[in-house]
Amino acid sequence: MAEVTVHIRWRDIDNYGHVNNAVYLNYLEECRDRLVEELFGTDDAWDFVLAHVGIDFREQLTQADGDVVVRCEVEGYGRSSIRTRERIEK
């Protein structure tokens, strides 16, 4: 399992004062990249394609939340694929 702490930046916030929905993907990407590096090393870490992303939004984030912890773990794998489960926590 990989874990990163991400600081919520001013540019991440939309006009309603919440973290923009698309920015959650950036947070997840930071942790997923860390996991891939840990599993496969830095030489081959970037030789993959992300085929599917599904997000269940359960709670809003605002800049006042400061930092969030992002976790990513392997949930399963196939012959040429891996499935991950990723989570953002305040």
Side-chain angles (χ1 to χ4, degrees):
M1 178 169 63
E3 179 177 301
V4 296
T5 300
V6 177
H7 182 71
I8 298 174
R9 300 163 294 255
W10 175 82
R11 67 180 178 178
D12 298 342
I13 307 302
D14 62 19
N15 289 337
Y16 300 103
H18 309 115
V19 171
N20 183 283
N21 289 353
V23 173
Y24 286 86
L25 292 168
N26 296 117
Y27 295 171
L28 297 174
E29 178 181 45
E30 287 188 38
C31 194
R32 188 181 324 106
D33 287 349
R34 172 83 50 90
L35 177 68
V36 170
E37 285 179 357
E38 289 176 5
L39 291 174
F40 304 109
T42 56
D43 293 339
D44 296 323
W46 310 114
D47 195 15
F48 71 93
V49 174
L50 184 64
H52 174 79
V53 174
I55 297 179
D56 293 322
F57 295 97
R58 300 180 191 268
E59 191 174 345
Q60 68 184 8
L61 292 174
T62 67
Q63 192 170 12
D65 291 317
D67 293 335
V68 292
V69 175
V70 185
R71 293 184 176 92
C72 180
E73 62 186 327
V74 175
E75 185 174 69
Y77 60 91
R79 291 185 320 180
S80 62
S81 64
I82 62 171
R83 291 178 307 283
T84 60
R85 176 169 297 277
E86 300 156 7
R87 184 175 186 91
I88 300 172
E89 298 175 349
K90 291 184 182 185

